[in-house]
Amino acid sequence: MSEAVKDSVEVALELDERGVYSHIAKESAEDIRRIISSIDAERAQRKGFTVYYLDDWDDLIRERIRKGKRHTAFDFYNPALLDIWEEKVGELRRIRMTERFLYSGIALFALGFVLVGLLFGAYLIPVGLSVLPLWVWVKDWAGERRDLIYHQLTQFFIDEMRALIEDYNLNPEEYRFKLFNDDYFGVSILRFGRENFAVVSVEPGKNEEQPPNSGE
């Protein structure tokens, strides 16, 4: 009689527990490293800086969530990740829609008064043009709101990285990442070769030898 084929979870559970959790932790830290740099790169680009970074943070987060769900037998990934990500993406979408609506309203108001002024009296033209400074205000408002969301998302993943490194005894320098803005908490800047990289700051003694968190 042929031996029953074991599924991947059964096989994984038969492996050395420390090795299994260490492998998943390293995979997660590598993903988060790329997500941090990708979000911050887009934040810097939106502020007008020239930044070359190819990863798409939205795709990376989706992939991170898919991987996390595959590891639910270990209760490994942060279940709050999906909620936070969806909330922030929703906020960005609402800001973009509000921005477009306000731009359209300003343009229609200005154009309407200019046309009426041309037809009935030139004194109405300045009234229409007087709302144009609001265009600059909307641009600044939307930019600041978006920048805050990018900052919050990046900081969230920096904190996730720190939790992984502390709980699973990882070397922070092995999971260094590029940052293009300098207003994040809990990171240190180190020089590797000719480039500067950020690493998460870990409390002394936090990731000294200790058994890995088993998620129980």
Side-chain angles (χ1 to χ4, degrees):
M1 183 174 181
S2 61
E3 185 178 347
V5 178
K6 299 177 181 179
D7 65 26
S8 60
V9 173
E10 289 176 322
V11 173
L13 290 173
E14 290 179 357
L15 298 176
D16 174 71
E17 182 176 332
R18 175 181 290 272
V20 170
Y21 281 96
S22 176
H23 170 75
I24 300 173
K26 291 175 181 177
E27 182 184 85
S28 298
E30 177 62 27
D31 289 342
I32 292 174
R33 179 187 71 81
R34 295 173 61 194
I35 290 170
I36 291 170
S37 293
S38 180
I39 299 174
D40 193 55
E42 185 166 328
R43 181 188 178 204
Q45 289 168 346
R46 288 186 173 275
K47 292 167 72 173
F49 296 105
T50 301
V51 172
Y52 300 101
Y53 200 83
L54 298 179
D55 282 333
D56 180 276
W57 61 270
D58 193 57
D59 290 341
L60 289 171
I61 294 175
R62 291 176 189 274
E63 181 60 24
R64 175 69 253 143
I65 291 170
R66 284 195 292 269
K67 288 180 179 179
K69 288 180 177 178
R70 290 206 303 269
H71 297 317
T72 50
F74 306 103
D75 192 24
F76 188 83
Y77 80 115
N78 185 345
L81 171 61
L82 179 60
D83 293 336
I84 293 172
W85 168 65
E86 288 183 335
E87 177 190 349
K88 296 305 178 184
V89 170
E91 285 184 45
L92 289 171
R93 188 179 299 115
R94 288 190 294 272
I95 290 171
R96 182 167 60 250
M97 293 175 62
T98 302
E99 184 180 18
R100 290 176 178 173
F101 174 78
L102 292 174
Y103 283 151
S104 299
I106 293 170
L108 289 174
F109 182 90
L111 181 60
F113 268 88
V114 168
L115 292 176
V116 171
L118 292 175
L119 293 174
F120 300 104
Y123 65 90
L124 292 175
I125 294 178
V127 177
L129 297 178
S130 67
V131 300
L132 292 182
L134 287 176
W135 191 286
V136 177
W137 178 86
V138 171
K139 185 175 183 296
D140 290 343
W141 168 82
E144 289 175 2
R145 289 291 302 159
R146 271 193 294 265
D147 187 67
L148 176 61
I149 292 171
Y150 282 114
H151 180 277
Q152 290 172 335
L153 266 175
T154 307
Q155 187 66 58
F156 170 76
F157 280 102
I158 289 173
D159 295 339
E160 283 290 292
M161 176 73 88
R162 180 181 304 103
L164 270 178
I165 286 174
E166 291 179 348
D167 291 346
Y168 296 91
N169 307 315
L170 303 181
N171 180 359
E173 294 186 10
E174 291 183 9
Y175 302 96
R176 56 186 180 269
F177 44 88
K178 293 291 291 184
L179 283 180
F180 308 95
N181 295 275
D182 59 1
D183 54 353
Y184 298 108
F185 300 103
V187 295
S188 301
I189 304 301
L190 301 179
R191 189 168 184 83
F192 293 86
R194 296 183 177 181
E195 292 191 87
N196 292 331
F197 288 87
V199 296
V200 294
S201 302
V202 180
E203 293 181 28
K206 265 287 188 177
N207 67 334
E208 293 176 357
E209 284 301 321
Q210 56 181 346
N213 185 344
S214 64
E216 296 179 356

